[in-house]
Amino acid sequence: MASQDGERVDPATVAAWYREHGGPLRSFLLGVVRDPELADELVQVTFTRAVEAGHTARTDTVKGWLFRVAYNEAMLVGRKRQVQDRSLRRLAEQPPRQTDVPEEIAGLEESIHEVRDALDRLPVEQQAVVRMRIYEDKTFAVIAEELGAPLGTVLTRMRLALARLQRFLSDEAGKEE
Amino acid sequence: MAEKTDAQSHGDLPGSDVDWLAFEYVSGELEPAAESAWESRLAAGEVEACEAVSRAVELIQLIAGAQPQLPLPQPALAGSAGSPWKRGAVATAAAGLLLAAGVIWWNADAPGPHREATVAGDVAVQRADTLLAAWNDGAESAESESISRVDGVLESEELVVPEWLVAAVALPDEEGTR
């Protein structure tokens, strides 16, 4: 894994890591810092660290190593700027994947259609909670109050809805493979 | 909040606890103690927890993208003419022009006593023209400024492209050939 000088990792190796883990890593960082520009910056920093110190990661733990470095860099670099706004709005405004590749854009649009279909098939009460939490950015406590339902019920509905959507997407991804 | 804890511990619910915790973390709904515990898992590079955060973010974005009345957000272009401020300025300038044109038309055949009003109308037209031209110049210069700023960055700072990024772009798409 390490290059000839024994300390830096071969750029081709880091490039392969980037291609394999860059997307999930960016999503992860976006979830942590909630700032797309900062998330991009941190992805860069993480892979720069990988060139410098990636040789300390074992092949089977590269992903964990990258996540750990990314999180710690987020804490170092992003702490001051971090997450004043805990609303989902900014996160939801971001496109799911940043890509210029036409096939990936087409795949993304297809995924969105599939999610829309899956949402339509959810029970109405679950749809309502998803809509209020993600589209209207209301907290679960507010949703419970507005629906006149116990908080636990609202959380259960959201959890069921997310699990169904996640499972549906996993099934679709499985079919593609 | 006791209800929340109960809901979290429902073992018979579908979907993993880690996915639910990740969603609660991403949506800022974890309580401080639970959030600290969760963040220590992330700090340790626990792949399952980190991947769950990635999945939660991507699922939220897909759901948001699936909202019927909202198209996928497009990246904003610098100097784009679509901003509300510019639309307002254009509307104001156009209204001024129309008003001035109306004044001129009204006074076109007016004899001596109304001559001052006509002159005022001419001035109004000139002002409106000037305003519109100035705004156009401003808009153009704002655009060129944003472009030259980008150029300036390219010219004044040495652009350092990391080797791994060059390699990532240059390498054939291994996934595509699998």
Side-chain angles (χ1 to χ4, degrees):
Chain A
M1 186 185 302
S3 62
Q4 299 292 329
D5 60 17
E7 293 202 352
R8 291 170 72 87
V9 178
D10 178 6
T13 303
V14 178
W17 293 349
Y18 178 74
R19 292 163 71 84
E20 189 174 355
H21 307 301
L25 202 66
R26 184 182 185 276
S27 296
F28 167 70
L29 285 165
L30 198 51
V32 173
V33 300
R34 213 62 68 73
D35 178 334
E37 291 80 24
L38 183 55
D40 287 337
E41 190 183 312
L42 288 165
V43 169
Q44 289 270 353
V45 171
T46 302
F47 282 98
T48 303
R49 294 279 175 276
V51 172
E52 295 163 355
H55 61 280
T56 60
R58 294 199 317 270
T59 307
D60 57 338
T61 59
V62 164
K63 191 189 280 185
W65 187 92
L66 289 170
F67 276 128
R68 191 173 68 246
V69 170
Y71 183 80
N72 290 326
E73 288 295 334
M75 291 301 102
L76 285 173
V77 178
R79 178 69 82 182
K80 287 176 189 167
R81 287 187 277 172
Q82 200 192 359
V83 199
Q84 300 303 319
D85 178 9
R86 266 290 177 189
S87 73
L88 283 180
R89 200 174 298 278
R90 186 140 197 228
L91 202 59
E93 282 170 357
Q94 292 298 306
R97 269 162 257 155
Q98 289 194 327
T99 178
D100 294 328
V101 182
E103 292 80 13
E104 289 182 11
I105 293 170
L108 180 58
E109 286 171 356
E110 196 176 329
S111 296
I112 286 173
H113 282 300
E114 286 163 359
V115 169
R116 193 172 290 157
D117 289 345
L119 279 168
D120 288 343
R121 275 183 259 154
L122 289 176
V124 176
E125 63 273 15
Q126 290 178 23
Q127 284 184 35
V129 175
V130 170
R131 189 189 68 243
M132 293 170 87
R133 185 66 190 87
I134 294 182
Y135 297 165
E136 298 171 19
D137 204 14
K138 292 175 176 165
T139 64
F140 288 127
V142 170
I143 295 169
E145 194 179 325
E146 289 189 9
L147 293 180
L151 180 60
T153 302
V154 169
L155 291 169
T156 301
R157 286 176 188 168
M158 187 72 191
R159 187 169 174 176
L160 286 167
L162 290 176
R164 285 181 75 157
L165 292 170
Q166 198 80 264
R167 195 172 56 229
F168 178 81
L169 288 173
S170 303
D171 290 348
E172 290 298 314
K175 279 182 205 166
E176 284 171 15
E177 288 165 11
Chain B
M1 282 299 159
E3 278 181 304
K4 190 170 180 174
T5 309
D6 290 347
Q8 281 173 355
S9 63
H10 283 174
D12 54 344
L13 285 174
S16 68
D17 283 343
V18 76
D19 278 319
W20 177 242
L21 282 170
F23 178 81
E24 288 201 297
Y25 170 71
V26 166
S27 55
E29 296 260 9
L30 274 183
E31 292 187 31
E35 189 174 44
S36 292
W38 178 256
E39 285 182 336
S40 63
R41 293 172 73 176
L42 301 182
E46 189 185 308
V47 173
E48 190 189 18
C50 296
E51 284 185 327
V53 171
S54 291
R55 281 195 300 272
V57 168
E58 286 169 8
L59 184 59
I60 287 165
Q61 290 172 334
L62 280 174
I63 294 172
Q67 190 175 9
Q69 61 271 33
L70 287 182
L72 267 181
Q74 299 294 321
L77 293 173
S80 141
S83 71
W85 182 87
K86 283 187 182 173
R87 282 198 298 270
V90 168
T92 307
L97 267 180
L98 279 174
L99 185 64
V103 169
I104 291 168
W105 177 79
W106 185 256
N107 294 294
D109 299 323
H114 296 289
R115 179 61 190 154
E116 280 183 24
T118 309
V119 170
D122 291 344
V123 171
V125 169
Q126 284 172 355
R127 282 185 183 162
D129 283 345
T130 308
L131 177 65
L132 193 57
W135 182 83
N136 279 331
D137 289 347
E140 282 168 16
S141 67
E143 283 174 13
S144 58
E145 187 187 339
S146 67
I147 292 166
S148 64
R149 202 175 291 145
V150 171
D151 291 344
V153 169
L154 291 174
E155 284 165 10
S156 63
E157 295 174 17
E158 189 182 354
L159 192 62
V160 180
V161 180
E163 285 177 279
W164 59 266
L165 189 54
V166 173
V169 173
L171 275 178
D173 188 353
E174 291 174 5
E175 288 180 358
T177 55
R178 264 179 218 159

